Amino acid sequence: MNEFYELSLRLVVAMILGALIGTERELRAKAAGFRTHFLVALGSALFCIVSQFGFPEGLRDSSRVAAQVVSGIGFLGAGTIILQRSRVRGLTTAAGLWVTAAIGLACGTGLYLIATITTLLALLGLELLILLFPHTSSTILALSFKTDSKEQLKSALAQIKSHVVEIITYEVKEFDAATAASSTSGASAGNSANPHAAAAPGSAAGRAAASTLCFRVTLSVKCRKGKDLSEIISILENFSEVAISNKEEL
């Protein structure tokens, strides 16, 4: 019975330590989070226990099972690594899974202190740098806004460029707001006498249309978290139809 409690304790400790690392990844919205990490640690510990106690004396070879766990965890790590716009992402999470498997193996052999120290060091390495130097943590933002002033547009772009590490994509579309509005209303009155009629260039309607040019700006930028991120958000508060999405921490 004492052996049963000991083996159960190994599994529980492995699950808890793996869950701690998984929680950090979950809070960072990574592909492999809480459930993935605690399952990796739990499974690694179980493999180790089975290799030690699940076979007759002459067939036990714990080192071989540990080696297979180390190599086998690679398929999970590969699943978290993606190539996005010529950039490799997910390496930290993949490495975290690899370390979590090692923690599970340590718990499976009863090395609780070493497993706990490894967990604390992993969390320290993942979080300490961000806590000490918040500006080193970057995020990818997809920005979109609209303006009808070319001067305001140039000023906004200059301010945004001064607060970003890198502009990944950049697009400005110019369109006639009056024409867009008239085409929308014209669609509802498609059976009018002359649906294709346009305002004469010299008429009052033509001058109004010419004065309502709008600019739709779409940006994908990499910026530092903290002050730079808040500065960009404050810049965009002066514009209409603002959209900020696809936040991704690095």
Side-chain angles (χ1 to χ4, degrees):
M1 186 60 69
N2 289 334
E3 183 178 283
F4 171 77
Y5 289 133
E6 170 64 21
L7 299 182
S8 299
L9 179 62
R10 295 183 184 186
L11 293 174
V12 171
V13 173
M15 183 184 72
I16 293 174
L17 297 181
L20 290 176
I21 298 178
T23 300
E24 191 277 337
R25 294 285 87 189
E26 189 82 31
L27 294 175
R28 299 289 177 190
K30 300 303 180 180
F34 174 83
R35 292 180 296 178
T36 305
H37 281 76
F38 95 76
L39 286 174
V40 167
L42 187 62
S44 299
L46 181 59
F47 274 125
C48 198
I49 290 172
V50 169
S51 70
Q52 293 177 20
F53 304 99
F55 301 99
E57 187 69 29
L59 297 177
R60 296 179 184 176
D61 191 348
S62 302
S63 62
R64 291 181 62 186
V65 174
Q68 293 303 315
V69 171
V70 173
S71 59
I73 199 66
F75 83 94
L76 281 178
T80 65
I81 299 173
I82 61 175
L83 182 65
Q84 184 181 27
R85 293 192 181 95
S86 301
R87 295 173 179 273
V88 178
R89 306 190 187 281
L91 286 175
T92 302
T93 302
L97 287 173
W98 183 60
V99 173
T100 302
I103 292 170
L105 286 173
C107 291
T109 57
L111 300 175
Y112 305 121
L113 181 59
I114 292 299
T116 302
I117 291 175
T118 303
T119 302
L120 294 177
L121 290 175
L123 292 173
L124 188 67
L126 289 169
E127 289 295 319
L128 183 61
L129 185 64
I130 294 176
L131 291 176
L132 293 178
F133 307 102
H135 63 277
T136 61
S137 179
S138 300
T139 183
I140 302 296
L141 293 181
L143 310 174
S144 178
F145 63 94
K146 189 180 79 170
T147 179
D148 55 2
S149 169
K150 184 173 291 187
E151 290 73 19
Q152 193 178 30
L153 170 63
K154 293 180 179 179
S155 175
L157 291 177
Q159 293 181 63
I160 291 175
K161 289 178 180 178
S162 66
H163 290 288
V164 301
V165 176
E166 177 185 358
I167 296 180
I168 301 173
T169 61
Y170 171 74
E171 182 181 18
V172 177
K173 289 185 178 180
E174 183 178 328
F175 61 95
D176 191 328
T179 302
S182 63
S183 64
T184 303
S185 61
S188 61
N191 294 326
S192 61
N194 188 8
H196 301 290
S203 65
R207 289 192 299 271
S211 64
T212 54
L213 285 177
C214 287
F215 304 92
R216 164 65 65 184
V217 184
T218 304
L219 293 168
S220 179
V221 300
K222 175 182 177 183
C223 68
R224 289 178 290 267
K225 293 181 65 180
K227 183 178 179 181
D228 285 350
L229 178 57
S230 60
E231 287 288 343
I232 293 174
I233 294 175
S234 65
I235 292 170
L236 296 179
E237 289 177 351
N238 300 320
F239 297 90
S240 61
E241 299 184 16
V242 175
I244 304 177
S245 60
N246 293 343
K247 291 186 178 181
E248 181 182 347
E249 295 177 359
L250 300 177

